[in-house]
Amino acid sequence: SWPAQTQQKIQELERRRERCLNDLEVELSQRIQELEAEKESLQRESQAKICNLESHEKEILAKYRDVEGRLRQTEGKLLEMEQSSSDAITRTTSSAAEAVKAAEAVAASEARAASERHAAALQVAVGEAELRG
């Protein structure tokens, strides 16, 4: 009979609909699990990259501090060298000035001695001239 066949068809369609819904639910559940697994994997990768970047940043900061320390040492050494050089120039200038004064004193002493010898020679010559004449 037609109503029985119709009822049977309706029940069959409802069962097919239930199977389709169940299949969709299973597929969606699997896809959700896949996406969650992918999300977790991406989160792990991101965390690993962040850790790597932080580690790299620490290395760069350590190198920067090392270079900064070396620069300070170099600046200190340059200042010491500059002061030492300045002190050496001062000592050399002072020594040169003392040497010039000493040379001037020797020259003045020699000039006095020569002048005194010349004056004595003149006195001797004058005394001889007076004796002769």
Side-chain angles (χ1 to χ4, degrees), residues 89-102:
I89 289 170
T90 301
R91 283 192 307 274
T92 302
T93 303
S94 177
S95 296
E98 289 172 11
V100 167
K101 285 181 187 175

Side-chain angles (χ1 to χ4, degrees), residues 2-99:
W2 184 81
Q5 285 181 342
T6 304
Q7 186 63 32
Q8 195 177 11
K9 279 279 190 194
I10 291 173
Q11 287 174 350
E12 187 182 319
L13 287 173
E14 283 180 0
R15 284 191 299 273
R16 285 171 92 191
R17 185 181 70 113
E18 280 297 316
R19 278 195 310 268
C20 284
L21 285 174
N22 285 340
D23 290 348
L24 278 175
E25 187 177 335
V26 167
E27 279 184 47
L28 283 174
S29 177
Q30 287 175 344
R31 186 63 183 139
I32 287 171
Q33 288 175 354
E34 290 170 5
L35 289 172
E36 285 177 352
E38 190 176 337
K39 174 185 159 187
E40 288 173 12
S41 173
L42 289 172
Q43 285 176 334
R44 282 190 302 273
E45 284 179 31
S46 295
Q47 190 60 40
K49 286 180 181 179
I50 288 170
C51 289
N52 191 18
L53 287 172
E54 288 173 347
S55 173
H56 190 61
E57 180 184 23
K58 287 177 185 174
E59 288 175 20
I60 290 171
L61 283 172
K63 287 178 183 176
Y64 172 78
R65 287 187 189 112
D66 180 52
V67 168
E68 191 176 40
R70 285 196 230 159
L71 278 174
R72 283 196 192 111
Q73 287 177 345
T74 302
E75 286 174 353
K77 287 178 184 175
L78 284 174
L79 288 172
E80 286 176 21
M81 289 171 66
E82 184 180 345
Q83 185 61 46
S84 176
S85 178
S86 176
D87 292 347
I89 289 170
T90 301
R91 283 192 307 274
T92 302
T93 303
S94 177
S95 296
E98 289 172 11

